[in-house]
Amino acid sequence: MSARIDEQHPLQVLQEENLRLRAELTALRDSERVFHALLDNAPVLISTKDLRGTVTMANRHFDILDGYDAAHFVGSNVFELFPHDIAEQLWRNDRKAALEKRAVHEEEQVYHTDKTLHTYMTVKFPLLDAAGEVVATCAVSTDISEAKAARIDSVTDELTGLKNRRYFNIRFAEEQKRAHRDQRMLTLLLIDVDRFKEYNDHYGHPRGDLVLQTVADAMHVTLCRPGDLSFRIGGDEFACLFTSNSVDESVALAEMIRDYMAAQQMPHEANQPYGHVTLSLGLAFVPPDSELGQGAIYEQGDQALYRAKHKGRNVVSC
């Protein structure tokens, strides 16, 4: 009797092993179905590339991209699939993730089928083999175009296209830190349209809007260097933040804005003795080692603007 039990034991073990393997296979198939469901339905771009830039996997959401062809997308190189400038940014971030063996978070831009350029927030990370060597990269990208546009709108003045007071407050401390790091002088320039209330009362608000847009043009034309920032902070009040090598350089830039506006010869009967639209400008200077806060620096600029008004307007004052 015991011999028969011993003879049956290996068969029982095989049956149990078979059941276990079948259960694992079912679980794997279930996992694979979940995986493919996520790939097919997630509203994000998910792809992998080998170390030569060839796409080895891409989810169905890629069909929103311009020129997408399901039959040829997987197996093609990134430089075959996208315009060169687009491909360069995509491949640069893949290479960075692979070389540095870490996740890289970057904004990337691609064209959709309607030919519009969309911005994506992408995380790219390396895929490793059993020995820990990088064999490919994976990218997961989310379209942030609408959110980015909304963020830009929230800090942009609709009439002039300049950034608004909110953005001015955000950037002031950042620019002060940058100037300190670069050991350069930061200049705050405040600008006010002379007798603007009287202008609106006499010529009407549509003409007044044109004046404000012209002030913005003067700022754009003059302060067009990388790092120059211009703002409309309310009504006919404007501000600029920029670095310079000297007080004289900052004053010269302010004079260029004043001259540009005066040269337009926009009639303003109430602004005597000039008879046309003019600007008053006040400057405050922030040395690299200054410990003054935004409020104190702004007060200096405001006092300089007051002195410009007191001197008869159409003046730059420090």
Side-chain angles (χ1 to χ4, degrees), residues 62-68 111-116 118:
F62 273 85
D63 62 7
I64 65 173
L65 299 189
D66 182 41
Y68 175 80
Y111 286 96
H112 279 200
T113 53
D114 61 359
K115 308 300 182 182
T116 57
H118 284 242

Side-chain angles (χ1 to χ4, degrees), residues 212-243:
L212 299 179
Q213 290 167 338
T214 307
V215 176
D217 291 341
M219 297 163 73
H220 278 307
V221 168
T222 305
L223 297 173
C224 54
R225 305 167 303 174
D228 291 345
L229 297 171
S230 299
F231 312 85
R232 181 188 176 197
I233 56 178
D236 63 319
E237 301 173 32
F238 297 83
C240 307
L241 284 173
F242 57 91
T243 56

Side-chain angles (χ1 to χ4, degrees), residues 185-254:
M185 182 181 70
L186 179 67
T187 297
L188 168 65
L189 170 62
L190 298 182
I191 304 172
D192 188 77
V193 180
D194 294 326
R195 296 190 171 94
F196 187 64
K197 181 181 182 303
E198 289 86 342
Y199 186 93
N200 273 337
D201 290 344
H202 183 78
Y203 296 96
H205 288 280
R207 293 274 295 275
D209 287 348
L210 181 59
V211 168
L212 299 179
Q213 290 167 338
T214 307
V215 176
D217 291 341
M219 297 163 73
H220 278 307
V221 168
T222 305
L223 297 173
C224 54
R225 305 167 303 174
D228 291 345
L229 297 171
S230 299
F231 312 85
R232 181 188 176 197
I233 56 178
D236 63 319
E237 301 173 32
F238 297 83
C240 307
L241 284 173
F242 57 91
T243 56
S244 66
N245 296 312
S246 66
V247 169
D248 289 344
E249 181 183 336
S250 295
V251 171
L253 289 169

Side-chain angles (χ1 to χ4, degrees), residues 38-39 41-46 59 61-62 120 140-143:
L38 285 172
L39 283 181
N41 295 288
V44 294
L45 302 177
I46 304 173
N59 68 337
H61 199 58
F62 273 85
Y120 281 78
V140 180
S141 305
T142 304
D143 192 342

Side-chain angles (χ1 to χ4, degrees), residues 93-102 104 124-126 137:
N93 295 331
D94 280 291
R95 291 294 297 157
K96 186 175 182 180
L99 291 172
E100 298 181 10
K101 287 190 174 183
R102 66 178 182 88
V104 172
K124 293 187 169 178
F125 52 91
T137 56

Side-chain angles (χ1 to χ4, degrees), residues 39 85 153 273 286:
L39 283 181
D85 57 333
D153 288 344
V286 189

Side-chain angles (χ1 to χ4, degrees), residues 21-246:
L21 290 173
R22 290 177 66 182
E24 288 185 359
L25 181 59
T26 300
L28 285 172
R29 286 171 176 167
D30 289 342
S31 297
E32 187 177 8
R33 279 195 291 271
V34 172
F35 174 70
H36 284 293
L38 285 172
L39 283 181
D40 288 342
N41 295 288
V44 294
L45 302 177
I46 304 173
S47 64
T48 57
K49 299 185 191 74
D50 66 20
L51 298 183
R52 295 180 299 276
T54 299
V55 177
T56 54
M57 184 277 293
N59 68 337
R60 195 169 60 185
H61 199 58
F62 273 85
D63 62 7
I64 65 173
L65 299 189
D66 182 41
Y68 175 80
D69 180 353
H72 299 100
F73 196 82
V74 173
S76 296
N77 189 273
V78 64
F79 285 94
E80 298 171 333
L81 298 171
F82 299 96
H84 187 76
D85 57 333
I86 299 291
E88 272 194 335
Q89 57 152 347
L90 300 177
W91 182 230
R92 180 173 61 248
N93 295 331
D94 280 291
R95 291 294 297 157
K96 186 175 182 180
L99 291 172
E100 298 181 10
K101 287 190 174 183
R102 66 178 182 88
V104 172
H105 299 258
E106 295 287 350
E107 288 188 9
E108 297 179 336
Q109 292 186 310
V110 290
Y111 286 96
H112 279 200
T113 53
D114 61 359
K115 308 300 182 182
T116 57
L117 188 63
H118 284 242
T119 301
Y120 281 78
M121 176 54 69
T122 299
V123 56
K124 293 187 169 178
F125 52 91
L127 300 177
L128 311 178
D129 62 14
E133 296 301 316
V134 178
V135 294
T137 56
C138 182
V140 180
S141 305
T142 304
D143 192 342
I144 61 168
S145 302
E146 290 186 5
K148 188 170 184 178
R151 186 169 69 248
I152 293 172
D153 288 344
S154 73
V155 296
T156 302
D157 175 60
E158 185 177 0
L159 177 65
T160 62
L162 300 175
K163 294 296 185 288
N164 59 21
R165 180 184 287 273
R166 178 185 177 190
Y167 194 66
F168 172 79
N169 292 332
I170 292 172
R171 289 302 300 268
F172 194 97
E174 295 176 5
E175 292 305 303
Q176 193 170 3
K177 289 178 183 176
R178 184 167 67 89
H180 174 75
R181 183 178 65 249
D182 297 341
Q183 286 297 291
R184 302 198 68 194
M185 182 181 70
L186 179 67
T187 297
L188 168 65
L189 170 62
L190 298 182
I191 304 172
D192 188 77
V193 180
D194 294 326
R195 296 190 171 94
F196 187 64
K197 181 181 182 303
E198 289 86 342
Y199 186 93
N200 273 337
D201 290 344
H202 183 78
Y203 296 96
H205 288 280
R207 293 274 295 275
D209 287 348
L210 181 59
V211 168
L212 299 179
Q213 290 167 338
T214 307
V215 176
D217 291 341
M219 297 163 73
H220 278 307
V221 168
T222 305
L223 297 173
C224 54
R225 305 167 303 174
D228 291 345
L229 297 171
S230 299
F231 312 85
R232 181 188 176 197
I233 56 178
D236 63 319
E237 301 173 32
F238 297 83
C240 307
L241 284 173
F242 57 91
T243 56
S244 66
N245 296 312
S246 66

Side-chain angles (χ1 to χ4, degrees), residues 4-16:
R4 276 198 298 271
I5 293 175
D6 290 339
E7 290 172 1
Q8 292 173 352
H9 182 67
L11 180 59
Q12 183 179 355
V13 171
L14 287 173
Q15 288 175 334
E16 290 175 354

